[in-house]
Amino acid sequence: MTEVRIPGSKSIMARALFLAAAADGVTTLRRPLDSDDTQAFFYGLRDLGYPTSATDDAATDDAATDDAATEDTATEDTWSVTGSPGGPPVPSADLFTRDAGTATRFLPALVAAGHGTFRFDASDQMRRRPVAPLIDALRQLGVDVTCEQAEGHLPLTVHAAGVKGGAITLDASLSSQFLTAILLLGPLAAEGLRITVGELVSLPYIEITLAMMRRFGATVTRTGDTFVVAPGGYRAQDYLVEPDASSASYFLAAAAVTGRTITVPGLGTESLQGDVRFAEVLARMGADVRATADSLTVTGPPDGRLDGITVNMRDISDTMPTLAAIAPFATGPVRIEDVYNTRVKECDRLETSAVNLRRLGIEVETGRDWIEIQPGQPQAAEILTERDHRIAMSFSVTGLRTPGIVLDDPDCVKKTFPTFHEVFRSVFHR
C-alpha cells in the first residue's frame, strides 16, 4: 500500500482567501495550496491592500510513503490575511488574475462591498471564459461594472460604492462559481441577499461554499432554488485546508488501472468536496474502494481491467477528464453524461478529451453534453493539453499503460499542483 499526500484544495483555498479578506481579524490558513491559481488570488488581495504573510513551518520531504516508510509531504506552511470588512483598504487597484477562474470571479464580488475603482484583467485564456452571469448579478445589486471590450468578458472595471443588498436572480448553469461569488458577498451587504437560481451545475461546490461561510460566522439558508444570506459579516478563523479531491482522482484512477493500492489521507466521508465521489465511480467499475472519515483507499483489479459504465458526472465534472483518460482500459464502453459545463473550463474539456483519445487510436463519440469511449489499447501520441492542468494530469494516468505518451505542455500543472509530475513519478515509476 502506498500513501499519497495531496496538496490543498484549490476550491477551498479560493473561498478561504475571500472569507479571510472579508472577516474581522487575522485568519490563518494551514497547509495552504501554493499554486499559480492561489498565488494569483493571494497577490490580488495584497494589491488590494489587505495585509498578508506566508510562512514555512516545516521542510517538505517526498510526497509518497510506501508501507511503513516515514516520509511526509504535508507541509505545515501557513498563509495569513488580515481582513477588512468594509472592503479593500486601497481606493483603487489594477489586478491581473492570470488563468485563475476563481480569483477572476470572486474578487470583483469582494471589491464591490468597498469603495473605489478596481480594474480586472487576466490571460487570453481567461478572457475567453464567461463572467456575464457575475456581472449581471452585481448590476442587479446596483454595482457599476463596465467591460472594456466584449460584454460579459474581461477586462472589466468595478466602480464600488458598497452593496445595499436585496433580491436578485442568477444564472448558474455554466458555473457554480458565479453563485459562490455572490453568496460570499451576501454577509457584506447592508441588508443581506436573497438569491434565486435557475439551473445549477456542480451543486457540491455550493455546499462547500455554504459550509465555509457558516464556519466563518455567516448565517445562510437554502430553500429549493432560493438562498437567503443574512447581513453581519464574518469572523476570522484558524483554518486547516483539506487536500484537493480533484487532484486525488488521478492517483485513485492510476491505482484502478495498475492493480496498485493507493491511500489518500485527509479525504474521506467527512470531506467537504463532492469530487471524493469519483471513488464511487471507480467502485462501480470494479475497483475495491474503502473510505473512512479521513482517508480514501483504492485497489485496482489485478489485471487492471475495469467494467464499462454509464455515469452522470454533472456534480463532479472536474473529474470527467480523469475517467475519460482511463476509459479505454475498460471492458466495455464508458459513457459520461450531463457535462456540458466542461466545455467552458480552461478549455473545452469534453472536446479536448475526445481529440486526444482519437490521437491515441481510440474510438470516441461526443454530443452537446456527453462523451462515449470504446475499449481499446491506446497507442503512443502527443497529448494536446490546451494549457489545461486537468487534461495534462488525466492523460498522465493513461501513460502508465501506454509507453510513448508525451504532453505538449507539462508545466501547465502549476495551476493547481506544481509538483504533480515529481509526485506521480515517485509513486508509479520507482
Side-chain angles (χ1 to χ4, degrees), residues 76-270:
E76 293 294 340
D77 296 358
T78 61
W79 288 6
S80 69
V81 178
T82 300
S84 176
V90 300
S92 65
D94 194 333
L95 281 75
F96 186 82
T97 53
R98 309 184 192 181
D99 287 336
T102 47
T104 299
R105 291 160 175 174
F106 292 5
L107 287 174
L110 176 67
V111 303
H115 293 77
T117 301
F118 307 98
R119 182 180 182 273
F120 294 88
D121 200 0
S123 66
D124 289 342
Q125 181 190 72
M126 195 62 231
R127 280 187 171 194
R128 291 191 294 269
R129 297 177 67 183
V131 291
L134 173 67
I135 294 170
D136 177 67
L138 290 173
R139 286 173 176 166
Q140 289 182 61
L141 292 169
V143 181
D144 182 359
V145 183
T146 58
C147 297
E148 293 180 15
Q149 298 178 18
E151 183 62 30
H153 292 267
L154 269 63
L156 65 82
T157 299
V158 177
H159 305 276
V163 175
K164 179 180 178 182
I168 66 168
T169 59
L170 186 144
D171 178 4
S173 61
L174 290 179
S175 173
S176 63
Q177 290 178 1
F178 303 125
L179 176 55
T180 282
I182 299 301
L183 283 168
L184 291 169
L185 171 62
L188 306 179
E191 298 178 1
L193 292 179
R194 182 181 183 88
I195 309 163
T196 301
V197 298
E199 186 179 357
L200 173 62
V201 296
S202 304
L203 178 60
Y205 286 99
I206 298 303
E207 293 171 344
I208 294 173
T209 303
L210 300 180
M212 293 184 65
M213 289 174 66
R214 291 169 182 141
R215 169 72 181 273
F216 278 74
T219 300
V220 54
T221 60
R222 178 192 180 194
T223 303
D225 61 359
T226 300
F227 297 80
V228 178
V229 188
Y234 297 106
R235 297 188 300 272
Q237 299 291 315
D238 188 303
Y239 195 90
L240 176 65
V241 180
E242 67 181 53
D244 191 287
S246 305
S247 295
S249 73
Y250 313 115
F251 294 86
L252 301 179
V257 298
T258 61
R260 294 277 300 276
T261 297
I262 296 293
T263 294
V264 177
L267 288 175
T269 57
E270 300 299 316

